[in-house]
Every structure is written in structure tokens, then in C-alpha cells.
Amino acid sequence: MGLYVAVIAAFAFVTLSLASGLLYVSELIEEHSRLAKVYGQRGIYAIIALHAILYFSESLPFPQTAFSITCHIIYLQNFSASWPIISLTSISFLASCIFVISDHFLWFFYFARITQEARQLRTYRSPPPDVPGFTEIASFFGICVWLAPLFLFLSLSANDNALPMSAADPGSPTTGSSSMQYAQTRVSLFRSLFSLDSLPQLRSKGSRRTSAEGLLASHASPAVRSSPLPAPSPTTSRFSTLPPPPRSPGPSRAPEMDGRLSPSQSFTLNIPPRRATPRALVFRAGEAISQAVVEFLPKDEIDLANAVRLTNRVVKGCLGLISVENDIFLALVTSATEVGNTRPSGSKSESVARIHEVSFYSLTSSTWDDLSAASEVLIGPDGVEGAVSRDVYAQTSTPPPIFEHPCSPLTKIMSSGSFYYALESPWDLSSRLAVRLARDASPTDVGAYDERFVWNEYIVQSLLDFRGRLDAHEREDLDRCQFIILAIQGYVGVFTMSLPAPPTNGAPTIATLSLISRLGWKRAGTRFNTRGVDDDGNTANFVETETVFSTDQHSVSYVQVRGSVPLFWEQQGLQTFGQRIQITRPHASQPAFERHFAHLMEEYGAIHAINLLGTKENEQSLTTAYGRHLQIARGAIGDDLSITHFDFHNAVRIGGHDSVIRDLRRLESIVDHVDRFGFTMCNAVSDEIITDQKGVFRTNCLDCLDRTNFVQDILSRTTLEQYLLLVRREWVQSNTLWSYHRELWAENGDALSRIYAGTGALNTSFTRSGKRTLAGVLSDATKSVSRAYINNFQDKGKQIAIDMFLGNLSNQRPVSIFDPIHDSVRAALEQRLSEYSTTKQVTVFTGTWNLNGRAPSSESLLPWLFPREGVNDPDLFVVGFQEIVPLTAQQIVQTDPDKRRIWERQIFETLDRRPNKKCNYVLLRSEQLVGTALLVLVKSELTSIIRNVEATTRKTGLRGMSGNKGAVGIRLEYHDTSFCFLTAHLAAGHSNVEERNADYRTIAHGLHFQKGKTIPSHDNVVWLGDVNYRIDMDNAYVRSLAEADDFDALLAADQLKLMMDSGAAFSGYSEGPLLFRPTYRYDFGTDNYDTSEKMRIPAWTDRILYRGDQLDLFVYSRAELRGSDHKPVFAIFRADIRIIDSVKRLALSRLLLESIVSTAPGEKLDEKLAALVFPSDITELPPPSSEDVAWWDGPECPGGVLPLYEFQRSPTRRKTNPFDSPDDSPLSSSPTSSDEELYTDALSLPTPMAPVQALRKPPPPPPPSRSTKPTTLP
């Protein structure tokens, strides 16, 4: 057995080392593509020369040598101008794939033949021929056969991650326009200041700027926070030049703006209106961490004498402000190209630009300034409008940066070519056509958007708040230059074509076909790191795809959605081509499942799900669970939710891809819903909606990529054909239309697949051409291999960067813009937490038991799980096991989960058979690391309010490589209070105290949950497990003291207590009094301490430690069970759970704002705020819902329609200025009250009720129109 383990370990080490080395080479190719191209070409020339030398010196055969040289000449053809971007369907690449295989086998058969002949000659005792040995043959294959193809393969990996550094992206889809022109370039923005050159009143159409401001920074030395890196140039404030609005090709010229900043300028919120004066935006770091100061000033008030230019790149706009490693960075779009006008027939232009490059400029430090960018010569549509002079500072040579830019991961993601934003007038790219047309006819507001799809909402929110606080004319000036960009991720494609028209004047009809895919950000991530659903009902890889077909008469929109199976499931460990799926919360997914579909039905109407998963073991388990949950959800949500299961792979295996199209169009459930849902159609002239789409298809497979895109293409064409049959029947036969339609969906599949999986989509060759080709098969095989590599070895870093950009990391703080009024409101809200929140006491049972690898016996677990009579049933059961399986080499390599499942069933049987049963429990989450397992069970009615449940593990055995020792952690949020539970098995051995301390430190610092959450980031932490700390006393003396129950003497020699007192381990944790005998070690099945040959010293190895102000320990003891050589230990806590009422918090924030604004000179603000109390009408909330009646369904609200003015709805994300007051708000009056009255009134506020699952309720009210952004919390 030991030999097998050694062989497996050696094989794994060699494989992982090789993979790491190849990854490193691939990254070098990506980072140094030009140098790698030179080395690659020269290397192939050297290999060709080596063939010639070996031909003459080693007498290699001429046919094989000539063929091998020909192969390498073909390899050279892949080094095109776009390298390392290699087209997988190019002739050179396909020929290379074929020739490398042929070359390999030609030389293989040659060397096999001469080796066989040599053996035969030796048999006849002839002189041994001079044949190459194994080393020579292996070296020949490695250098002359495999080296060049391996280099090309590694360049494919770099190809998937390469950043287009120029404005012209070779991979950009072309539009249907034969002469597409680039949009007029904008004037350069600032580095941190913008320049708004002449407003429209002062600028003539033909005037042009003679120079560009570029990105400027103050030359004065700033007083900034210290940096660990040497600052090559001092910089304090950041400047930028605001560009003119982007526009479609045409002769008209948009107005431009210009702006500056002076280091000595003080912060001013209200600027006197000077509409004829150019203005400037000024950014600088504030005094507080993650705080910026922004000013919108007249240009002539800014002194740029000490400013330096940081770049000449044209700045398209700003994505927002982000804090990274205590530095504040401004994210600017520095390269973008126009995709096209998605709806030319509309009343206003709806053009889209694709982002190619985003640059991050620091407001707090000049360390990361790249002054070489100030002298760049740009060619193409991003060229600068004139020469730029340099000052002394800019002319100094700047050494290349030694350290990586802290925002480089963000730059890589944002510059991947998958982000888009709206050009021209600020139309809302994030919302589908039906929503945009349903809004009021008022001018479009940049703050009106669909929060699900705006990816930079986290970093742009502070700028939107700043914009909302400007005066109306200032806001108009800022909006005119379109500095603030709202970006979506996904795909936008546009084709314009001519279609035959009735023979009236002979002119064809110009039609535009557009495809817009909007990827949701609320559960964003990479393939193996983000699966399933979260507690808010957001699913991984959720995409809304809209097909828009426009003519001079109508605009037609058809919407579909895709998303991961809305259950809690994941894939852990190394994933290859088999899918190992684990449904992590099989009994607690229903609330999140129903939330997901409730949100979809509120947004889109009826939902019909199409599940494309197959009959494989893992996919079948997801399909079964999906169908079961949906059947239950139909009882609560209604009959507008339905599903069709379609085994895509089985259909392809039987009849090919063509059969999928035929089968889907014959399925009654699909056809009926296509007819029922319809499409949205509006008049092209008046934008009046004629028909509206009544529902959407929700399609999914495992990744929601290849199969899903294929089926959505079919549904899109089917619906578009329905429209064409109504208006222009002859267009159904248009080859041009459907070829463009196929191309758009193929590009869409590739784009979404690159975002989620790292490579293009599979099956796109069939989508494009309508047939399966050899090139398509080879391309799919290459993509599959690349996916396995990228998803296992590269995506973790990408996931961290995505979470950083979205603000999901637990240690992140959003950048706030300095505003003393709103900062005072936030501080007052934090101090008055008790006024808008309540507490609830819950009971938590925690238990730990080392099982010594034994299965459950007939012994009842009731003395352990329910040790005290008269105590309320715990709300949570947290049970930790150690050595749940024998710690053998086989178990360490591949752990058997069956033992854990057996103990789970045993615990459930105990809970079901307990006396006086009053509630049911469900398994919320379980996790196992070899022999260490942790289970969390909760009352079934609590599954809807316990959220963000995650599990993780940390190995400590064999220096972190083995899981025989280590820890398992599960974290959760109960209302607004977070818990972290850990079970650990530390190093054994009486004298190995330092090893146990090291294990603790490894776990404490190395155990991480998703999005950067660590153990200390939780409100309450409980450790339970076999920590293996012993008692430093003589064996006989310990036994005598234990039998005499003299625990104080034993505790004085307890290793764990000594380590806690010295701070060497578990510093800051508490433990209850040890009033029970040592739990280790007993003879199995008895209450006698160890009588074996080793006669181990009794010890308290099994412990429960805790930390948290809300935890109150009231029972800590052990159970007298005999099923192991350890005794189980338990602790029961009472915990205070915080429940925040967001409605009251919102109301209080409004009152605080009004009180601050209305403060008279000389009035003491602190006393005024302390006396503030809720008015009586705040508490008049609707009655709570029951299982039969919902608060929104009554005579006052017929049909469940609730007027928004009657009840302030609190959104989950902020979208506008949270402190805007109504126009009729009485700011001059401020209610006052004493502290006693304030306390009394707070006690009278109703406590939010814990939700319970209802069997059937009327549907909730429809969501409000996004035309009015709800007021949100600060």
C-alpha cells in the first residue's frame, strides 16, 4: 500500500509541477508577447537548422526530415500580426494540428523500426548496430518534434487572457455597415481633473481645439499617507479634461468642456451659476481613509501652473472611484470603439461603445504614475487632437515600475473587451426596450438604470450621489459631457442590412438586427468558483439577452434569460472533464429558489424554464432536485411557473444538432409558450408600444453556455419568424437576415463563454454555418482542454479581482465623497442603532466528539443532543466530529463521505424520536476534511432568514499538504448577525505543544471563506473539536485527581489553558468552567480510562471555545456515551441576534437630514439631534401577512397594486442620492423630545416578525418603474 501511495504522490507532484511550469511560461508569453514572438520565430528557425545538421551528421532519413522541416515552416505561419491571438479555425492552425500529429507518428514509427531491426540483429549475434538510445530519442522528440507545437499551445492560453492594447480590436465583430466610421474622438479627460472647453454658446461648429489637456496632476509635493514604495514623482490632486459627448458618424460636432484644479482650492459644494464659463471637476484625496474630495469649479479659478501631464490618451469617461490597498484610484476608460446604433429607427440614437482599455490613476500617491504614457503617440480613432508640450517634470526619465500596479487585475478584467456603455444621449443600455419605452417622457436621467446589470455601480455610486447634490444647471453641464459611464458586461452586436420591399419606389428596406446580452453582477464569478444560487435568489451566470429588430415602421424586442440551476450546489477540488457536483444545502434551498423565481416573475411576468441537463449521474441529481423544488414553488408562486426537461446531449447523440431544432419546435410545451409570450413591438416613429411580451423562457444547462446559447438561438429565430410572418412574409426566406442572426448568436456565445469559462463557446461552428465540420470539432476539443486548465489554475485570481471590483470583499470600504452634512447623518445613524433595530434571543447547541473511526451504535444520542430538560429546543445544532473515518492513507487520498452521511441520518433519527417534539430540523450545511466533519442543522422555519452560508477547510497535516489534521469552518448570517463555527483536529502527541500552536495559527490565518471573509470578520466565533492539548502531570496522579473530581489541580497543568494565558494560542477566546472529568482516553465501551499497553494520560482534549459579545454560555459539560474512546462534549449558548428594520432606518435618516439642514445659526446640533424622535405616523405600517392573507392584497389595494407613495419601499442597493428630501418637506420644523420620550417611543415600535413559509399567497405587487429611483439608505 505504501508503494502505491508513493507512486500516486510522485505522479501528482510531477503533474502539478509540470502544470505550474507551463502556467508560468504561458504568463510570460502573455506579458512579453512581442519578445516571445521573436524568440518563437527564431527558435523555429534554429530547429529547422538542427534538422539539417542532424540529417548530415546522424544520417536521418530524407523523407521524414523534409516533412518535419515542412511542418515547422507551417508552424511559422501562425506568427501573424495579431499574435498571440490565433484563430482556431484558420488554415495555418488547423494544418499545424494535423501536421504535428503526422510528424510525431512518422518519427515514432521510424525509431520503432530501427530499434526492432537492432534487436533482430542482436538475436543473430551480428555486430550491434549503432542506434540511438532512449535519451537521444527523447531529446530529439522534445526539441525537434514537440517544442514548437507546445509553444503555440501555450500561446493559446495567453490568447484567452491577452488584453487588446490598441483601439482597434482585431476580434471585434463587424457591423453590417460597409463603411463604418469611428465616432468623433473626445477631447482628453483629466487624470483627476477635467477640462470643459467652451460651452455651446461660445463655440462655433467649425472650431477645433489646438491642443489637448490630457491627464494632469499637481506638481506640488502632497501630504499623503506614506507608501512602502519609492515615489518617483510627487502628486497630490488629479486632473482630467472632460470630453465632448460621443456621437455617431456625421458632420455635426458635439460641445466640449474643459476643467482644472488647484492644490490650494478648498472644498465648495454650491457653485454660483456661471453657465457661459467652462467648468472643471477636481479630485483629491480626503483626510479620512477611503474618502475623496470632488469639486465642480469654474475653470478660471484653477491654477495649473504646477500641473504635470500624466497621459495623452483620450479619456472616454469615468467608471468611478475605488479603494485598493488604502489608495484611492480613479477608473478612466482610455480606449473604446463604437459598435453601432442598436435601434436607428428610434426617436433618438441608441449607439453603443465597447471598452478596450481602462486605466487607474491614484489620488493618494504618485507611486503608480506612468509618465511614459504622457509621450505616447496614438494612432487611429483614439488619436489626440494636437501636440502636447512637456514640462521639466514630464521630461525626466522614469524607471520601469518594480512592483505590479495594485489595480492590474482590475485592468485586465475591465480591458477584456466584454464591457459596453451607451454613447450619444444618455440612453439606458442596462434596461430592455419595453422598460425604456414604459418610462415617462421626461428627459433621460443618467441615474435611471437596471441595477442588476450595471457592473460599476459599486465604484460609481459616490459620483452619482455627488451629481445628485449639484444644482440643476451644474448637473446639466456635467451630464452634457457624459463623464460618468454606466457599463454593462456581456455582448452587443449590430448588423445593418437591406431587405426587399414592395415595388413602390424600388428602394429596399433598411433593417437593423441587434443582440444585447446583459450579464448580472449580483452573483458574478468564474466557472468553478461561482455556481447555483445565493440567499437573495441571485444565480451564477445570469444573463438577459435581447434580440432587437428595427425597420422604419417597427421595432421588435424579444427577451430571454439564462442562469445557473437555482439551488445551492458547487464543484470543489480539481475538476477535469468529469463533473463532480455537490448539492450543499439540499434541504434548505427552497426559500432562495422561490425568491429567484419570484424576482423573475415580478420583472418579466410568466416564466417557463427549459432545463437542458442530461442523464449523467451528477446532472441527473440536479435535474431531480430542480424539478422537486419547482413543483413546490408552483404551490406558493402560482401556475405561471412551468418547466420543460430536454436532454440536449441525448438528442444530439441520436439525431445530431439538426434534431434539436426539430424536437424543440415540436414540443407542445415550448410551442404553446412561444405563442403565449409573444414579443414587444413599438411604432418606430412615436415609440408607442403596440404589443408587449408576456413572459420569458429561462434556459439552463450546467454552465449556461454552449447548450443554452444553442437553444436560445432557436427560440430567438422562432419568435422573429412569427413577427415576419405578420408583416413581411417574404423576409422569412432572407438568407442575409438569418446569416447575420446566426453570426450574432455565435459571437454572443463566444463572448459569454470567455467571461465565465475563459474560452469561446462550443458548438459555435454549427451556429454559424448550420453544419458540423472537422474544424469545429478540433476547435471544440481545444477549447475543452483550455477550459480545464484555465478554470482549475487561473480562475481563482480572476475571481478575487471580480469580487474586488464589485465591492464584495469583506475588508473593502467604498470610496465616499466628502460631504459634511451627509457624513453627520451617517454618524448619527450609527449612534442610534437601537432605534431602528431590535434584538432576538436564540439558542445554539454546539457539540464535538472524536469517533475514533467508528460507526453509530445502538446507543441513543439524546443524552448528548438534549442534555437538559426544560430548555427550549435549540434554534441551531452545530455538531463537529473528528476521526469520522479511520485516518488511513486511502482515506487521506480519497475520503469516503458515506460515514458522514450515516452519522447525519443517525442525528436526524435522534431529533425525530425525541420526546415532546415541537419542531422539525433540516440540514443547513455539512462539510468534511478527511476525518473532520462539521454539521449545521436549523429549525425548518429559519431557512428563509439564515443567509450567506459558506463552508471551507484548511489542512495542517504534513505542513499543510495532508488533511489528516486540519479544520472545517461553516459561516452564516442569522438576520443581521454573523456566526463562524469551526471544528478542528490538531497535532497529536503529549509533548507536541508547539506543533498544536502552529496548527492553530495556520487555521486562524489561513482559513478563508469567499470574498475575503476570515475568522475575525464575524460577530461570533465558536471553535469546537479535538485540540489534543494534554495535562502535564504524572499519569497516576492525573487519574487519581480525575476520580476525585479535583479539577482545579488538573486545570493548573492543562496545556491549553497555559497557552491561552500566555497568548501563544486562542488568544481572545473564552471557555466555560471545566466541571467535568477529562474526556480522553477511555477503553471502548466503558467508563474506564485507558488500560492498554500505552496507558495514555487522561486529558481534556475535546474543547469548545468561543468569542463574541452576543454569546452567553449557560451549559458546558460532557455526555456519558461509550461509542468511542473519547467522551462527547457540548455547550449551549444564548445569543442575541440583531434585526435591522430598513424602513425605520430610512425614515430616521430623512429626519436627521432635515434636522441638520434646518439648523439655525448658533443652535447646538448635537442637542438637536439627540432630541429628535420619530413622528407618530412612522409606525403606521401595514398589518403583517399570514398564511392566508397578504398585506398588499386588500380592498385598499385591489389586485395587489400598492401606490408607492403609501409605503416607502427599501431597495437592496443604492441608486440615487439617499438624502434627497421631498419638495414639500418642512425643513424649518424639527420635532423634539426628551431622551425618556425617545426611549419610550422606540420601545413602542413593532418588532419585525420572523418569516414562515406559506403554502400559497397572492403574488407580491409588481416592481415600480425604474423611471423614479427610490431613495436609499446612506
Side-chain angles (χ1 to χ4, degrees), residues 320-370:
L321 293 159
I322 187 171
S323 177
V324 181
E325 298 178 3
N326 292 328
D327 281 338
I328 299 176
F329 292 90
L330 187 68
L332 300 177
V333 178
T334 52
S335 177
T337 54
E338 184 175 350
V339 175
N341 193 339
T342 60
R343 199 168 67 96
S345 61
S347 58
K348 58 184 178 181
S349 176
E350 296 184 357
S351 297
V352 179
R354 183 185 186 190
I355 297 174
H356 294 298
E357 185 176 1
V358 175
S359 301
F360 290 83
Y361 298 98
S362 175
L363 303 185
T364 53
S365 172
S366 61
T367 301
W368 310 112
D369 291 345
D370 181 14

Side-chain angles (χ1 to χ4, degrees), residues 810-888:
S810 61
N811 57 352
Q812 267 188 286
R813 296 182 60 183
V815 176
S816 61
I817 294 178
F818 175 69
D819 179 7
I821 295 178
H822 296 78
D823 291 345
S824 299
V825 173
R826 294 187 184 96
L829 280 174
E830 293 178 0
Q831 295 173 0
R832 304 176 70 153
L833 175 64
S834 60
E835 297 181 38
Y836 55 86
S837 67
T838 56
T839 58
K840 169 187 174 183
Q841 191 174 83
V842 300
T843 304
V844 180
F845 173 92
T846 58
T848 179
W849 195 6
N850 187 313
L851 299 173
N852 196 25
R854 300 183 182 274
S857 63
S858 58
E859 189 176 31
S860 174
L861 300 180
L862 282 173
W864 181 34
L865 300 179
F866 293 93
R868 297 291 187 269
E869 296 182 1
V871 178
N872 294 333
D873 289 346
D875 296 273
L876 285 82
F877 274 96
V878 182
V879 181
F881 293 114
Q882 303 80 45
E883 296 188 41
I884 198 171
V885 296
L887 300 182
T888 61

Side-chain angles (χ1 to χ4, degrees), residues 198-500:
S198 64
L199 292 174
Q201 295 93 324
L202 303 180
R203 191 178 189 85
S204 62
K205 290 185 179 180
S207 63
R208 291 181 57 90
R209 295 188 51 171
T210 58
S211 63
E213 294 290 346
L215 220 45
L216 308 176
S218 171
H219 187 51
S221 178
V224 297
R225 292 187 294 272
S226 60
S227 172
L229 306 178
S233 56
T235 304
T236 189
S237 303
R238 300 288 180 234
F239 313 96
S240 174
T241 306
L242 282 182
R247 58 188 181 85
S248 298
S252 62
R253 177 148 183 96
E256 300 179 357
M257 305 179 74
D258 184 31
R260 320 259 167 107
L261 167 118
S262 169
S264 60
Q265 290 290 336
S266 60
F267 172 75
T268 305
L269 182 60
N270 296 317
I271 307 295
R274 284 191 261 176
R275 300 180 61 84
T277 303
R279 292 184 174 273
L281 264 176
V282 178
F283 288 78
R284 62 173 181 266
E287 295 182 359
I289 297 177
S290 299
Q291 186 183 72
V293 178
V294 181
E295 298 172 278
F296 195 44
L297 304 175
K299 181 178 178 181
D300 55 10
E301 294 184 8
I302 300 171
D303 181 14
L304 292 180
N306 292 324
V308 294
R309 188 180 315 284
L310 298 177
T311 185
N312 280 345
R313 285 191 173 274
V314 177
V315 179
K316 307 293 186 178
C318 176
L319 293 172
L321 293 159
I322 187 171
S323 177
V324 181
E325 298 178 3
N326 292 328
D327 281 338
I328 299 176
F329 292 90
L330 187 68
L332 300 177
V333 178
T334 52
S335 177
T337 54
E338 184 175 350
V339 175
N341 193 339
T342 60
R343 199 168 67 96
S345 61
S347 58
K348 58 184 178 181
S349 176
E350 296 184 357
S351 297
V352 179
R354 183 185 186 190
I355 297 174
H356 294 298
E357 185 176 1
V358 175
S359 301
F360 290 83
Y361 298 98
S362 175
L363 303 185
T364 53
S365 172
S366 61
T367 301
W368 310 112
D369 291 345
D370 181 14
L371 298 182
S372 61
S375 59
E376 288 179 336
V377 178
L378 303 178
I379 302 174
D382 291 331
V384 180
E385 287 190 55
V388 178
S389 60
R390 304 181 186 178
D391 56 19
V392 178
Y393 178 83
Q395 292 176 354
T396 58
S397 60
T398 304
I402 302 175
F403 300 94
E404 184 181 46
H405 194 290
C407 296
S408 61
L410 303 181
T411 302
K412 190 172 184 178
I413 291 175
M414 297 303 298
S415 304
S416 61
S418 61
F419 287 86
Y420 301 82
Y421 66 95
L423 286 173
E424 301 294 342
S425 57
W427 69 282
D428 181 16
L429 177 59
S430 66
S431 298
R432 60 191 186 277
L433 177 63
V435 173
R436 299 199 303 272
L437 297 181
R439 289 175 179 157
D440 297 335
S442 58
T444 305
D445 183 6
V446 70
Y449 56 86
D450 191 332
E451 61 170 352
R452 299 174 300 163
F453 305 121
V454 175
W455 272 67
N456 61 320
E457 186 188 34
Y458 170 74
I459 66 174
V460 81
Q461 188 61 56
S462 58
L463 286 177
L464 292 177
D465 292 343
F466 170 79
R467 170 192 171 276
R469 294 193 291 268
L470 294 175
D471 292 339
H473 70 277
E474 294 177 325
R475 187 159 53 247
E476 181 182 349
D477 289 345
L478 181 60
D479 290 347
R480 185 180 296 113
C481 65
Q482 289 184 251
F483 176 67
I484 300 177
I485 285 179
L486 301 180
I488 69 166
Q489 187 176 24
Y491 172 74
V492 179
V494 181
F495 279 113
T496 301
M497 70 205 80
S498 60
L499 297 175

Side-chain angles (χ1 to χ4, degrees), residues 709-765:
N709 197 75
F710 191 94
V711 171
Q712 286 193 332
D713 174 24
I714 298 171
L715 296 175
S716 174
R717 174 164 180 165
T718 302
T719 304
L720 192 55
E721 286 176 349
Q722 284 190 341
Y723 163 73
L724 297 178
L725 290 173
L726 296 175
V727 295
R728 289 286 189 274
R729 183 175 294 270
E730 63 273 18
W731 289 353
V732 177
Q733 306 302 324
S734 172
N735 292 328
T736 302
L737 173 61
W738 300 125
S739 64
Y740 284 157
H741 187 272
R742 289 194 301 268
E743 181 66 24
L744 285 174
W745 275 100
E747 292 290 340
N748 178 72
D750 283 340
L752 296 178
S753 181
R754 289 191 189 98
I755 295 170
Y756 191 57
T759 70
L762 309 183
N763 302 323
T764 51
S765 62

